[in-house]
Amino acid sequence: MQTKLQEKFKALFGKEGRVFASAGRINLIGEHTDYNGGYVFPGAIDKGIMTVILPNGTSKVRLFSMDYNESTEFGLEEADAPSQAWARYVFGVCRETIKRGGKVEGFDAVFAGDVPLGAGLSSSAALESTFAFALNELFGNGIDKFELAKIGQSTEHNYCGVKCGIMDQFASVFGKAGSLIRLNCKTLEYKYFPFKPEGYKVVLIDSCVKHELASSAYNKRRESCERAAAAIRKNHPDVEFLSDAKRVWLDEVRAEIPEEDFLRAEYVIGEVQRVLDVCDALERGDYETVGELMYQTHFGLSRLYEVSCEELDFLNKLARKMDVTGSRVMGGGFGGCTINLVKEELYDAFIKAAKEQFAAKFGHEPKIYNVVISDGAREICR
Ligand code: ADP
Ligand code: MG
């Protein structure tokens, strides 16, 4: 990809530029825990965005997207926002850097990516963190990595209309090959854990469906969690978020809250513990336990949190039937992907069965994405 980008950059701007890249992400476990102050456990993947870029000595940004085969040019004032959706990510990163006191001047860039769009692997975070990292290096701003992640998050909020949390950009900026990162969403403390599943593959199976329910259900889940936390807080005033609560504290209030809220909270409290258990297992290199905990998460998301759907339950059940080590829905739910930890010798048979049986039942094949945990934002040296 690098050669192709350099060639295009040279054709458009007459020289070679510096090369930066960043990555999409997966989340191994820790779902719907972010807004409950719990842990998430993401890692950067071997699919991302790469850009060739150089300052151009003007006050204008000239961008070329290889994947859209489209170019655009914009200034750096608020009023200069470009109309193309893909360019707004880059414009937002420029503006958010400037808002933080960083220097951004005109530059030329050609970029491309291989993160599937809208599949739950966060192509948008890859794009933001590539440019946030590159601008920081090009203009010598010295902005720390956490703030670079926040530049990406604020770009989504302020320029792309997506009120996301910090996980995607965090994983994309902080990602390291062979490591997952446990992020405490309340304190923002983080820790790397080894993830080198030798003899296993990590594969995402994309159901390619998105059910309508997603956003209203999401708000309802949040409200349930807040009500459960409030009930527990009456007995245990230190409970700020549901993730602070012990399971027995939830049992104490079972009669006071709607059963639905109880089930939602039961899932969240269990999930926070499962992230910790997965981290322990990874330190022992025990991938079978990791897989079992992934199945438990799927069960919780499907039966307690009720954010799965027929297609995802089907894929999960098939994985279990075929002795796949771990499988669960990844992301908010109601569609999207399952993430699977599969022994290499089982891989071909599992993928074949998933494609055929899913297509026979739902009328279209799922998409398959293999991922390897890789480095996040970085400069690529020639
Ligand atoms: P995702 O879940 O993949 O982050 P989003 O809808 O949040 O999905 O972001 C996808 C958007 O990000 C695309 O519509 C496009 O505007 C931008 N984008 C992602 N990858 C690329 C790329 N390779 N080239 C240009 N724009 C991209
Ligand atoms: Mg996105």
Side-chain angles (χ1 to χ4, degrees):
M1 190 189 300
Q2 195 176 341
T3 318
K4 218 176 61 181
L5 289 171
Q6 285 287 17
E7 276 169 12
K8 187 71 189 179
F9 191 87
K10 209 163 181 182
L12 289 175
F13 307 116
K15 49 189 152 189
E16 295 216 327
R18 286 170 73 177
V19 184
F20 295 88
S22 193
R25 63 100 192 93
I26 52 115
N27 184 36
L28 187 69
I29 198 159
E31 214 64 78
H32 288 280
T33 44
D34 53 348
Y35 52 86
N36 285 302
Y39 297 106
V40 291
F41 197 39
I45 57 173
D46 57 335
K47 294 174 178 36
I49 297 277
M50 188 182 276
T51 188
V52 175
I53 184 168
L54 267 191
N56 60 19
T58 76
S59 58
K60 290 266 191 285
V61 174
R62 294 185 291 183
L63 279 184
F64 183 77
S65 157
M66 297 280 263
D67 300 316
Y68 286 92
N69 194 25
E70 234 174 61
S71 60
T72 188
E73 186 175 317
F74 53 80
L76 291 161
E77 303 298 324
E78 201 58 45
D80 297 326
S83 56
Q84 297 95 327
W86 60 267
R88 292 182 66 85
Y89 289 93
V90 181
F91 177 76
V93 167
C94 295
R95 289 298 309 160
E96 291 296 334
T97 300
I98 292 166
K99 283 184 206 169
R100 285 162 177 77
K103 178 172 119 179
V104 180
E105 293 173 347
F107 61 88
D108 298 328
V110 172
F111 72 100
D114 59 359
V115 189
L117 307 187
L121 298 178
S122 216
S123 65
S124 61
L127 179 53
E128 291 143 13
S129 63
T130 298
F131 279 90
F133 189 90
L135 296 182
N136 194 39
E137 297 297 315
L138 284 182
F139 298 106
N141 287 325
I143 296 171
D144 73 54
K145 282 172 92 176
F146 229 111
E147 207 56 38
L148 293 180
K150 287 187 183 161
I151 285 172
Q153 183 193 23
S154 305
T155 295
E156 301 257 358
H157 289 191
N158 300 330
Y159 298 91
C160 309
V162 181
K163 296 281 176 223
C164 61
I166 192 70
M167 174 173 79
D168 298 354
Q169 291 77 14
F170 170 81
S172 184
V173 171
F174 283 81
K176 262 204 256 181
S179 295
L180 296 176
I181 327 166
R182 188 182 70 198
L183 175 68
N184 181 322
C185 295
K186 182 172 153 184
T187 62
L188 297 183
E189 286 164 324
Y190 62 91
K191 190 175 171 198
Y192 289 91
F193 288 86
F195 186 78
K196 294 175 182 126
E198 271 170 41
Y200 298 87
K201 284 183 188 262
V202 177
V203 59
L204 294 141
I205 304 189
D206 186 353
S207 67
C208 303
V209 299
K210 195 76 216 165
H211 294 290
E212 281 305 310
L213 259 84
S215 73
S216 66
Y218 177 84
N219 293 334
K220 275 195 190 156
R221 298 302 177 282
R222 285 189 78 136
E223 286 162 18
S224 280
C225 291
E226 278 161 25
R227 277 194 300 269
I232 296 169
R233 193 175 303 126
K234 285 188 204 145
N235 300 333
H236 305 277
D238 289 343
V239 171
E240 187 184 348
F241 292 100
L242 206 41
S243 63
D244 300 322
K246 295 200 171 106
R247 175 56 212 265
V248 286
W249 298 352
L250 175 63
D251 292 333
E252 290 167 9
V253 298
R254 183 164 193 167
E256 297 164 32
I257 58 176
E259 183 64 7
E260 196 176 272
D261 292 359
F262 175 84
L263 295 176
R264 308 303 189 231
E266 183 184 9
Y267 163 75
V268 171
I269 294 171
E271 183 71 353
V272 171
Q273 185 59 46
R274 276 190 293 275
V275 178
L276 297 172
D277 293 345
V278 161
C279 290
D280 287 346
L282 283 178
E283 287 189 321
R284 301 191 304 269
D286 177 1
Y287 289 89
E288 294 299 311
T289 296
V290 170
E292 196 48 47
L293 289 160
M294 290 167 74
Y295 279 111
Q296 286 181 25
T297 291
H298 187 87
F299 177 88
L301 286 169
S302 179
R303 305 295 175 77
L304 305 175
Y305 219 63
E306 296 185 278
V307 293
S308 188
C309 60
E310 201 190 343
E311 292 89 345
L312 294 170
D313 284 345
F314 180 86
L315 290 169
N316 182 262
K317 220 164 147 185
L318 178 68
R320 186 60 119 178
K321 202 174 92 191
M322 294 190 73
D323 278 332
V324 166
T325 303
S327 178
R328 70 172 193 88
V329 43
M330 190 180 85
F334 300 108
C337 296
T338 61
I339 177 168
N340 303 272
L341 181 63
V342 193
K343 283 225 174 78
E344 271 167 10
E345 60 266 28
L346 213 68
Y347 178 84
D348 289 344
F350 174 53
I351 297 303
K352 183 166 183 280
K355 281 186 177 168
E356 287 175 2
Q357 294 182 30
F358 189 93
K361 185 154 171 76
F362 299 108
H364 65 272
E365 274 196 3
K367 290 194 178 135
I368 309 296
Y369 314 119
N370 287 290
V371 298
V372 176
I373 301 307
S374 303
D375 288 329
R378 64 206 184 273
E379 177 161 15
I380 310 232
C381 297
R382 269 170 280 165

